[in-house]
Amino acid sequence: MEFFFNPQGIAVVGATPNPLKGGNAILKNVLLGYRGRIFPVNPKYAEIEGLTCYPTVSATPGPVDLAIVFVPAPLVPATVEDCVEKGVRGVIIESGGFAETGPEGEGLQKALADIGVRTGIRLWGPNCMGLVDCVHRHIFSFMDPR
């Protein structure tokens, strides 16, 4: 579980330059406390907050131990599979729209559980607001960064 609290690299999937969206708040929070490599992931952008942005997690250079995912629920299983391909060890899923929304969401949540069992990737969420690691002074969450 150390990779959740002291990752070598973090991918923020769903990062955006729009300061009114959650993907921007998550990226800014990671930038506030984490000193390792940070990889914004969104195929729509080349750069966000001065960092090179990548189209997928598997396209990021270097090690990524942790991915923070904030994309629409139907995209999350494929995103987690991409994380598996990259060798990511843990995923924090901040996205909503799973079992709490009914049968379709339940199916998506089961698909995530199946990916975890099949591949061994550790999943935190869905509907997770992230974590705050006071020891390492990391903030991996959707809280307002101000």
Side-chain angles (χ1 to χ4, degrees), residues 43-120:
K44 296 178 184 177
Y45 306 103
E47 182 180 293
I48 301 173
E49 298 293 329
L51 300 171
T52 300
C53 189
Y54 299 89
T56 61
V57 174
S58 58
T60 61
V64 175
D65 286 331
L66 177 64
I68 302 171
V69 176
F70 192 62
V71 296
L75 302 177
V76 174
T79 299
V80 173
E81 290 282 6
D82 184 51
C83 290
V84 169
E85 181 180 324
K86 175 68 178 175
V88 174
R89 298 173 67 196
V91 178
I92 297 174
I93 303 168
E94 296 202 11
S95 306
F98 293 90
E100 78 280 5
T101 65
E104 185 175 329
E106 285 178 22
L108 291 170
Q109 193 161 317
K110 182 180 181 323
L112 290 174
D114 291 346
I115 293 167
V117 169
R118 178 175 46 83
T119 68

Side-chain angles (χ1 to χ4, degrees), residues 10-13 15 27 38-42 48 51-55 60:
I10 298 175
V12 179
V13 184
L27 180 59
I38 301 168
F39 305 101
V41 175
N42 189 324
I48 301 173
L51 300 171
T52 300
C53 189
Y54 299 89
T60 61

Side-chain angles (χ1 to χ4, degrees), residues 5 26 68 92-95 124-133 138-143:
F5 299 100
I26 293 167
I68 302 171
I92 297 174
I93 303 168
E94 296 202 11
S95 306
W124 189 321
N127 293 302
C128 178
M129 292 302 287
L131 64 95
V132 176
D133 179 354
H138 300 161
I139 303 170
F140 307 135
S141 74
F142 179 62
M143 299 180 322

